[in-house]
Amino acid sequence: MKTPIDPAAVIAEFFDAVAPYDPQPDADPVALVGVRTALGEAVFPMTDHVIRAMCRALASYRDPEDRGSCVECGGRHLDENLHCQDCGRLHGILGQVIAEHARRVAAEDPT
């Protein structure tokens, strides 16, 4: 069983990582973020520097499950084999090989 992640601890860790680089560490906070979970609650004062760091972190984040969009339906649910869970299209080299084979078989079909 996985140990649950404590969201407040994650936020505190991020803030601690960013804090040493804040050019105005004593500046008044521009926002407060409150976190309440089954593990507890915490309130975090956010400076402009922390907010900008969070924006940069979010902008550079790429989810490991993001495998792109389906060229057929535009869906965002490609599995690890690049098979679209929305429309069934198979992407990548394997998908291309299967699609070309299907076209050849269809062209050879005498019906």
Side-chain angles (χ1 to χ4, degrees), residues 31-99:
L32 295 174
V33 172
V35 178
R36 182 182 300 152
T37 71
L39 300 172
E41 59 183 67
V43 175
F44 301 94
M46 296 180 68
T47 64
D48 184 65
H49 179 77
V50 170
I51 291 173
R52 290 179 189 281
M54 188 176 289
C55 289
R56 286 190 298 275
L58 290 171
S60 65
Y61 175 75
R62 183 176 178 279
D63 194 290
E65 295 298 316
D66 181 359
R67 296 179 183 93
S69 299
C70 176
V71 296
E72 186 74 28
C73 71
R76 307 274 307 159
H77 301 109
L78 301 181
D79 68 14
E80 63 276 357
N81 296 311
L82 301 180
H83 179 249
C84 180
Q85 300 301 301
D86 297 327
C87 74
R89 180 179 174 136
L90 192 57
H91 293 266
I93 293 172
L94 178 59
Q96 182 180 354
V97 168
I98 291 171

Side-chain angles (χ1 to χ4, degrees), residues 7-20:
V10 170
I11 293 172
E13 185 177 334
F14 179 81
F15 282 26
D16 289 345
V18 171

